[in-house]
């Protein structure tokens, strides 16, 4: 246990998106005052929290198989006279609720993404083996008000949730059902959290939201959007880098595009999912943009910030996707040139409109399309990395590398960069000359190492 004041061990496993990573950190913050210190060993844990993801079927199934393993560990601990409390948090908790406890009775409590500030109470109740074991409502504001203002950042980069929920209702997606309606935190509270992080040595924050660029400050009469928030946070001393994720093309407004050209702290990297390059499929997905409007948007963003690295999400095998639709996606990818990307086979999610659509695609076809799509995206990522060779990039060193004397950091474009560097450069932004590029990372040497 890293915290000497801790008397009990907490193991948290995080699935899915970065918002869950943030939530897991905050759960540890909520539980710290109760004496819980984080352990990496589930078998030794007094409390296990699985922070789950519901977005694709595979993600959900992983949770149940993990719960099967935990049940055995719980029994082993009981044999030694020790207890293990098992909590399921996150989007599977929200979507399936008590069903989880029926399917796996070793689970003691279920807590949705908006209710984890109630964890201490729920745990106490579970220990008394009675009362409410399920908390899954949608009041995000209550949660943020109830969370401790203190955060215990573990490094020089941190996530900061600014927005939750989604009103877009893409026909394949469970998020509008599991995370509820779009809701933004007050800018003042976000600024306070960012300042506190900067005071603790955080140099880079990633602003998080399911639809982060739909951010609308509830405490700003002018309806300050994400651009205004970014400008506000950019003024904080010590906070040198700002990123945000995930965005919808529909909410990419002029002010935000302008900020990319003007705010030095806003990093030249944008995750802007398009999902498909076929207008027919985009319409069936209810995406509210076409391939052409997405491409023109990318043009505008590149006009504001020519070196920006573009990343995206793609789904292959959406119901009704023909070969020609898939080819249109490959064509769009060729036109954009992605620096990185995430791609998935369509997964049929019960309760979403696409699950009931005609023309579901055979698994073998999805596999074949995904392989072709990923080959193209990997080629583009490798080419993007290669284009950095010989360049000097400012790298924020985040942690020790695998080899002694080596540090790992990130370029402005979110690439991992390895370099031989002294430990005192941890947390510093240092010029590094890139001398070799691999598919997933860069290697370089310190430029002008003087001091
Ligand atoms: N099937 C496959 N991929 C999905 N995503 C969301 N829902 C599904 C689904 N049902 C992908 C989208 C989204 C990313 C977070 O996950 O690409 O942008
Ligand atoms: Fe899901 Fe679409 Fe909302 Fe993204 S924008 S969270 S894909 S519904």
């Amino acid at each position: 246990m890293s915290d000497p004041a801790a008397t009990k061990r907490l193991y948290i496993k995080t699935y899915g998106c970065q918002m869950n990573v943030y939530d897991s950190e905050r759960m540890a913050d909520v539980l710290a005052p109760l004496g819980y210190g984080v352990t990496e060993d589930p078998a030794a844990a007094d409390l296990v929290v699985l922070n789950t993801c519901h977005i694709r079927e595979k993600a959900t199934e992983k949770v149940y198989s993990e719960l099967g393993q935990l049940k055995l560990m719980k029994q082993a601990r009981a044999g030694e006279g020790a207890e293990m409390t098992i909590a399921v948090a996150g989007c599977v908790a929200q979507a399936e609720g008590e069903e989880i406890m029926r399917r796996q009775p070793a689970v003691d409590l279920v807590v949705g993404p908006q209710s984890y500030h109630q964890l201490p109470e729920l745990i106490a109740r579970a220990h008394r083996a009675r009362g409410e074991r399920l908390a899954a409502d949608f009041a995000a504001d209550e949660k943020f008000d109830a969370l401790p203002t203190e955060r215990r950042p573990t490094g020089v980069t941190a996530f900061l949730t600014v927005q939750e929920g989604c009103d877009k209702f893409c026909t394949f997606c469970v998020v509008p059902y599991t995370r509820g309606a779009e809701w933004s935190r007050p800018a003042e509270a976000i600024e306070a959290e960012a300042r506190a992080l900067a005071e603790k040595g955080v140099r880079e924050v990633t602003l998080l939201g399911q639809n982060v660029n739909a951010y609308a400050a509830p405490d700003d009469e002018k309806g300050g959007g994400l651009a205004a928030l970014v400008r506000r946070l950019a003024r904080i001393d010590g906070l040198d880098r700002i990123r945000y994720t995930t965005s919808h093309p529909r909410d990419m407004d002029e002010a935000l595009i302008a900020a990319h050209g003007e705010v030095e702290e806003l990093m030249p990297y944008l995750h802007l999912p398009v999902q498909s390059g076929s207008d027919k499929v985009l319409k069936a997905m209810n995406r509210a943009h076409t391939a052409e409007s997405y491409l023109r948007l990318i043009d505008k963003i590149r006009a504001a910030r020519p070196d920006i690295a573009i990343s995206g999400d793609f789904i292959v095998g959406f119901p009704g996707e023909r070969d020609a639709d898939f080819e249109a996606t490959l064509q769009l990818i060729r036109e954009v040139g992605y620096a990185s990307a995430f791609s998935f086979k369509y997964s049929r999610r019960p309760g979403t409109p696409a699950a009931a659509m005609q023309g579901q695609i055979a698994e073998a076809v999805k596999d074949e399309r995904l392989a072709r799509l990923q080959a193209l995206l990997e080629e583009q990522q490798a080419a993007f990395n290669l284009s950095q060779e010989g360049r000097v990039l400012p790298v924020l060193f985040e942690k020790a590398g695998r080899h002694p004397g080596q540090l790992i950091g990130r370029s402005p474009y979110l690439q991992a960069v390895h370099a031989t560097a002294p430990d005192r450069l941890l947390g510093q932004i240092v010029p590094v000359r890139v001398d070799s590029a691999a598919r997933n990372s860069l290697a370089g040497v310190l430029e002008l190492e003087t001091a």
Side-chain angles (χ1 to χ4, degrees), residues 289-304:
H289 60 78
T290 61
E292 183 62 22
S293 69
Y294 179 85
L295 289 169
R296 295 296 74 83
L297 183 57
I298 297 289
D299 286 346
K300 268 194 190 171
I301 296 163
R302 283 195 166 135

Side-chain angles (χ1 to χ4, degrees), residues 55-56 172-173 273 275 313-315 344-347 349:
I55 197 123
R56 284 168 292 273
F172 51 81
C173 186
Q275 314 296 357
D313 289 344
F314 299 89
I315 295 177
F344 313 97
K345 286 189 285 182
Y346 168 69
S347 167
R349 308 306 286 131

Side-chain angles (χ1 to χ4, degrees), residues 5 120 178 192 211 236 248 297 322 346 374 382 387 390-391 398 418 444:
T178 54
N211 264 286
I236 296 176
H248 193 291
L297 183 57
R322 298 159 310 174
Y346 168 69
Q374 289 186 336
S387 73
R391 283 188 66 189
E398 293 176 17
H418 305 248

